Amino acid sequence: MGYLNKGQWVVGDFPIKSGAFVREAAGFRGKIDPLEIQEDPNRFELYVSHACPWAHRTLIFRELLGLESYIPVHVVDPYMSEEGWSFEKPEPNLGGSYLRDIYAVHQDYVGRVTVPVLWDRKKQEIRNNESSEIIAMLNSCWRDVHPSSFNLIPEDQLDQIIELNEWIYQHINNAVYRTGFATEQEIYETECQALFQALDILDERLGKSEYLLGSEILEPDIRLFVTLIRFDWVYVGHFKCNIRRIKDYPNLSLYVDKMHQLLSTTVNKDHIKQHYYMSHPKINPNQIIPLGPIDD
Ligand SMILES: N[C@@H](CCC(=O)N[C@@H](CS)C(=O)NCC(=O)O)C(=O)O
């Protein structure tokens, strides 16, 4: 882990304060004007990691909305070393070997070098690196040039979606990280217990409806899926979220299997396991990647 300080890479630690994990706000928050897409629907590209749940959301939106031919994707190597995210081969825009080279275009930038990144080909700069904003733009900005039968964030359900998104972020998406990166026993236990209480609530809810908000797949389902699909593969072992497995929940397990079938081309189990088990030396210093779980 490290961060960029005005073009200089600084090797640093996780942002852990007093035993608790804190996630920093993203630095690039530019919006796409739909007119830009009408002028050139191929203007933007994505930099992602297949391991990262936040980047995974953007890949799922891109696929469900049928935007694959408009938005090329550049995938980083699963192993994140002290040098940060890197590419197996130099990436095509700037020819750099590290994701930080993309960020360094912004000479004054100080902060973490994270995926996903929405890259503006015309200006050769980062437009946005906050996944929640990128997915909202993917959902709306290409509709004039590429109508889709999917609307993952329908206007008339926006209030419910925002409320549920926030709940899932706090209690599920970020809760696994707060559990896994805790450096004090008491904090770990509190976080882990709260996480499983939230999973219990979701399992009950999904016993009553097919998706979180009814019969259609919507943004909160995508946000939940990206954590659930990683859960038994890495969060149970690596992050010690091991009171139960998703497999042990009757409704959550059916839900995640069904979504996995629909979204299988966006899921890369090898990258997920390699990244988590190899990239957090404080948690797994020997970088051993477990063989299991073997999926039934
Ligand atoms: N707010 C960001 C968070 C993205 C994020 O934390 N990505 C992680 C990978 S899962 C990352 O790139 N971390 C590298 C680092 O913090 O140095 C988003 O949702 O887009």
Side-chain angles (χ1 to χ4, degrees):
M1 293 284 276
Y3 64 95
L4 201 61
N5 186 0
K6 300 189 177 175
Q8 294 296 315
W9 182 250
V10 183
V11 173
D13 222 336
F14 292 118
I16 292 178
K17 293 183 187 111
S18 60
F21 170 69
V22 182
R23 189 177 295 280
E24 271 179 80
F28 297 94
R29 312 299 285 265
K31 297 278 179 287
I32 298 178
D33 181 336
L35 289 175
E36 292 176 304
I37 304 302
Q38 280 176 27
E39 266 169 36
D40 179 5
N42 302 311
R43 177 163 174 169
F44 294 95
E45 302 184 359
L46 279 171
Y47 288 89
V48 300
S49 155
H50 281 310
C52 168
W54 323 103
H56 193 178
R57 299 164 170 184
T58 65
L59 288 178
I60 293 174
F61 269 65
R62 171 180 173 268
E63 170 154 328
L64 287 179
L65 293 158
L67 302 178
E68 298 97 319
S69 63
Y70 300 105
I71 307 173
V73 167
H74 309 289
V75 180
V76 296
D77 203 81
Y79 173 47
M80 190 178 64
S81 73
E82 280 195 336
E83 300 297 319
W85 294 114
S86 61
F87 301 100
E88 201 182 315
K89 291 191 208 125
E91 62 77 36
N93 280 307
L94 305 175
S97 297
Y98 292 98
L99 187 65
R100 66 180 192 237
D101 301 331
I102 293 291
Y103 276 74
V105 162
H106 302 265
Q107 289 168 3
D108 289 335
Y109 179 71
V110 179
R112 296 243 172 237
V113 170
T114 57
V115 282
V117 170
L118 182 72
W119 176 255
D120 179 347
R121 282 160 89 160
K122 186 170 174 190
K123 290 197 170 162
Q124 290 283 296
E125 63 181 30
I126 298 175
R127 178 67 62 94
N128 195 300
N129 71 339
E130 171 48 50
S131 61
S132 57
E133 294 177 358
I134 297 173
I135 58 180
M137 293 188 278
L138 295 182
N139 190 62
S140 62
C141 297
W142 273 259
R143 283 199 185 267
D144 290 337
V145 294
H146 187 87
S148 166
S149 54
F150 275 104
N151 183 356
L152 298 159
I153 318 176
E155 198 66 32
D156 58 348
Q157 283 170 277
L158 200 55
D159 290 347
Q160 280 173 292
I161 290 175
I162 291 172
E163 195 183 323
L164 195 49
N165 283 346
E166 181 53 31
W167 190 90
I168 291 170
Y169 177 77
Q170 285 300 338
H171 295 86
I172 306 288
N173 301 141
N174 213 27
V176 292
Y177 283 86
R178 291 198 309 268
T179 306
F181 288 154
T183 54
E184 290 172 23
Q185 183 69 29
E186 208 178 317
I187 293 175
Y188 159 72
E189 287 184 16
T190 306
E191 294 292 355
C192 190
Q193 273 157 355
L195 166 65
F196 280 88
Q197 276 163 16
L199 288 170
D200 294 347
I201 291 170
L202 289 174
D203 190 61
E204 203 183 316
R205 183 173 183 145
L206 288 166
K208 297 182 195 131
S209 74
E210 191 181 358
Y211 292 105
L212 288 168
L213 288 171
S215 58
E216 280 180 41
I217 189 166
L218 295 175
E219 181 185 2
D221 297 294
I222 309 299
R223 289 178 175 243
L224 178 58
F225 172 72
V226 297
T227 296
L228 295 187
I229 192 66
R230 287 161 175 73
F231 206 93
D232 292 358
W233 294 341
V234 288
Y235 299 148
V236 169
H238 186 62
F239 279 176
K240 305 183 187 73
C241 302
N242 63 359
I243 294 178
R244 280 178 285 285
R245 301 166 302 175
I246 297 305
K247 225 180 151 139
D248 303 321
Y249 282 102
N251 302 313
L252 279 175
S253 59
L254 284 178
Y255 171 83
V256 76
D257 286 349
K258 183 177 57 185
M259 288 190 58
H260 190 186
Q261 276 174 27
L262 176 70
L263 304 171
S264 62
T265 54
T266 70
V267 176
N268 188 322
K269 184 181 180 186
D270 289 340
H271 275 220
I272 290 170
K273 287 183 67 179
Q274 280 176 46
H275 167 71
Y276 281 93
Y277 280 105
M278 292 186 66
S279 307
H280 303 138
K282 287 202 170 157
I283 302 180
N284 191 27
N286 291 322
Q287 299 177 312
I288 305 287
I289 305 168
L291 290 174
I294 308 296
D295 297 327
D296 302 331

